[in-house]
Amino acid sequence: MEETGAVAVKHPDMDRSAEDIRVKMVQLLPRLRRFAAALTGSVADGDDLVQDTVERALKNLHQWEPGTRLDNWMFRIAKNRFIDTRRSYKRSGVIAVDVPDDTPSVTGDGARAADARLMLADALDALQKLPSEQREALVLVTIEGLSYRDAADILQIPIGTLTSRIARAREALASLAPEG
Amino acid sequence: MQSEPTHEILNAFIDGELPPKEMERIAALLAERPDLDAWVRRREAMRADIKNAFSELVTAPPPTRLVQAVKGAPISWRWHLRQFTAPRIWAPAGTALALGLVIGIALHPGSDFASRNGQMMAQGALTAALNDQLASDGHAGPGPRVGISFRNRNGRYCRTFDAGAQSGLACHGDQGWVITLLAAHPQAESSGTYRMAGSEMPDIVRAAVSANIDGEPFDAAAEKAARGRGWK
C-alpha cells in the first residue's frame, strides 16, 4: 500500500471502489444462488454457475456501467452463461433434481430442514418441466420479485414477450399440480 | 359489459404490474366473478409456494468457495484503468506530484537503465522483459515485470513496467526502449528487490498511460501480435 507513496499519490478512491464492488457481490450471492439453482435445477449445478458468473463479472467489470444496477447485470451474466453451458448439461444428463446434503438446513430442526429440502426439490423439479425461456421469466418475477421492466431488461426481451411467457409458465405449472 | 380479461392481464394483476386504475378494475371484477377469483387465487398461492420453497436457500450463508471467488478473482485491468482515467487525480496538500522525478538513480552498466544521446533507455534485464515478456502469461519469476501494453498517439508501442525500486513507462523508438516516465518506489529502494506480482501500478504511471494511449490497452492477442512485429 505505501510502496507507491512518495512520487505517485495513491488514488484514495480506487481500491475502495474495487473493495466496495466485491462486498456488494458477496451480498448478492444468496440471490444469485437462488436464481442459478432455479435455472439449472440443482443447488450444486447452480453454485457452479454462480462461481462462473462471479469470475466473469469481475473479469469483465469494465463492461458494467457504474450507476446502473450491479444485481441486474450479474443476473444477465448468469442467464447468458446458463444458456451457453446448457447444451453440455443436457448432453451429460446432469440436469436432474438433485439436492445435495449441504443444502442449507434450519438450525436445530432436522425435520423442518428435511421438509424444506423436499419443497425445494419439488419446486426445482416443477421448474425444470418448463421451457427455459418461460423458466427464466417466471423465476425473475416470482422468486426474485423483480418488476416486469427489470426482468425484461435482464432477459433482453420486450415487456410484452415477458408478460406472455409468465402467463404460459403459470398455466404449465397449474396443469402439473392437481386442482386444489 | 366489460371485456373478459386475458390470462396476461390476470397474471400482471397477480404480479401487481397493471396501472393503478386497471388494478382496481380487475379487483372489482374478481369480487363479482367467483370463477375468475378462484383462478387468480390458485395462481397467487402457487406464486407464494414457489417463492417459499427457495427461502431456505436464500437465507443460508453461501458456500465458502463462492465467497472466496468473489474476494479473490481478478478484476479486469481495463476497469482499474477506467477508474483512473476518470478526471479526478487528487494529491494531498504538500505532496509533490512530480512527473518522472527519480532521485539518485544509478546508471551503471548492470542497471536496467542507461543514458544514450540524452535519452534514458532501457537496458539489460529490462530490455529483455520489454521485448519478450507477455503480461497475459502472468510473469511470476524474479526480474522486471511488464504491465499494460498499448499504442501511443505517435503510433509507438509503449509498455508499463515494474523494475523493483522503480516502475515506469517505456516506448519503443528507433534505438530501443525509451524510458518516458520513471517513478520511484520508496519502500523498495533500500533492498532493491523486485516487488511482488500483483502489486499496484503507481497512479502516476496510470496517469501517463491515460494521457498517451491511443485507443484501448492491448488484450492478450494484440500484445502477442505486437511482440511478433518486434514492437515496430
Side-chain angles (χ1 to χ4, degrees):
Chain A
M1 285 292 179
E2 303 119 347
E3 64 194 334
T4 59
V7 173
V9 179
K10 186 79 184 167
H11 193 274
D13 231 21
M14 217 168 58
D15 283 353
R16 205 188 60 202
S17 40
E19 193 50 38
D20 281 353
I21 284 172
R22 290 191 199 268
V23 168
K24 277 183 194 152
M25 284 190 184
V26 169
Q27 290 166 350
L28 279 176
L29 282 176
R31 288 179 60 207
L32 283 168
R33 292 186 76 210
R34 180 170 66 175
F35 179 57
L39 286 190
T40 59
S42 97
V43 175
D45 286 345
D47 283 351
D48 287 347
L49 177 58
V50 171
Q51 177 149 3
D52 188 17
T53 300
V54 162
E55 286 166 0
R56 289 213 159 228
L58 289 168
K59 191 178 156 207
N60 296 313
L61 196 58
H62 58 282
Q63 292 170 359
W64 172 63
E65 276 304 316
T68 63
R69 291 185 54 166
L70 185 68
D71 53 354
N72 289 1
W73 183 67
M74 292 189 74
F75 279 130
R76 187 182 304 151
I77 295 173
K79 173 244 165 191
N80 289 338
R81 286 306 291 160
F82 171 64
I83 288 172
D84 291 348
T85 53
R86 193 173 43 179
R87 207 170 296 125
S88 62
Y89 277 128
K90 271 190 182 155
R91 214 178 4 246
S92 61
V94 176
I95 288 190
V97 179
D98 170 29
V99 183
D101 289 342
D102 65 349
T103 299
S105 58
V106 180
T107 326
D109 188 341
R112 244 191 86 195
D115 281 352
R117 233 173 265 169
L118 200 63
M119 275 169 56
L120 179 57
D122 286 346
L124 290 170
D125 192 20
L127 288 170
Q128 282 305 303
K129 297 196 164 90
L130 300 176
S132 63
E133 295 82 4
Q134 291 179 23
R135 191 187 324 139
E136 293 158 6
L138 189 77
V139 165
L140 287 175
V141 169
T142 297
I143 303 179
E144 292 306 322
L146 296 183
S147 69
Y148 281 13
R149 181 185 297 276
D150 278 350
D153 183 46
I154 288 168
L155 299 175
Q156 296 167 294
I157 55 175
I159 287 197
T161 306
L162 181 96
T163 309
S164 88
R165 283 183 190 175
I166 300 274
R168 278 183 282 142
R170 288 222 174 95
E171 283 331 284
L173 288 184
S175 70
L176 292 175
E179 199 73 45
Chain B
M1 194 68 195
Q2 291 193 328
S3 62
E4 189 78 359
T6 63
H7 283 182
E8 277 83 3
I9 288 178
L10 291 174
N11 273 290
F13 173 82
I14 291 167
D15 294 319
E17 287 280 342
L18 295 174
K21 279 244 148 73
E22 191 68 358
M23 291 294 289
E24 284 171 25
R25 183 180 81 84
I26 299 296
L29 182 67
L30 294 182
E32 295 168 7
R33 292 274 304 270
D35 57 327
L36 284 185
D37 191 52
W39 192 96
V40 166
R41 279 175 195 274
R42 177 151 184 251
R43 278 147 192 83
E44 281 173 342
M46 219 165 60
R47 188 188 202 277
D49 283 349
I50 293 179
K51 181 155 192 178
N52 286 341
F54 283 87
S55 62
E56 301 289 337
L57 189 59
V58 84
T59 50
T64 316
R65 70 162 165 127
L66 295 183
V67 177
Q68 290 306 322
V70 173
K71 290 186 174 165
I75 287 187
S76 144
W77 47 265
R78 290 182 193 212
W79 180 83
H80 279 302
L81 192 67
R82 191 181 68 182
Q83 285 302 97
F84 193 79
T85 51
R88 47 192 174 111
I89 303 170
W90 304 313
T95 308
L97 189 67
L99 270 167
L101 174 64
V102 176
I103 298 166
I105 186 160
L107 296 178
H108 55 80
S111 91
D112 289 325
F113 310 100
S115 177
R116 232 183 290 149
N117 303 326
Q119 282 186 316
M120 189 183 281
M121 308 288 292
Q123 68 172 7
L126 180 57
T127 295
L130 289 168
N131 282 337
D132 300 325
Q133 217 180 89
L134 294 178
S136 46
D137 286 347
H139 179 68
R145 197 161 55 84
V146 174
I148 294 169
S149 303
F150 61 93
R151 245 185 211 281
N152 74 8
R153 291 180 179 148
N154 296 326
R156 301 278 190 188
Y157 286 109
C158 300
R159 312 190 82 191
T160 66
F161 61 85
D162 186 342
Q166 297 87 24
S167 58
L169 178 65
C171 294
H172 200 274
D174 300 334
Q175 309 293 318
W177 290 98
V178 179
I179 307 297
T180 60
L181 170 74
L182 201 54
H185 296 298
Q187 298 300 310
E189 268 172 8
S190 50
S191 65
T193 53
Y194 290 97
R195 298 188 305 143
M196 298 298 289
S199 54
E200 287 287 329
M201 184 194 300
D203 287 354
I204 197 164
V205 178
R206 269 178 226 279
V209 172
S210 47
N212 288 289
I213 192 166
D214 179 22
E216 294 266 307
F218 289 169
D219 58 15
E223 188 189 33
K224 204 165 187 173
R227 183 180 70 172
R229 288 190 291 272
W231 307 101
K232 285 171 192 157

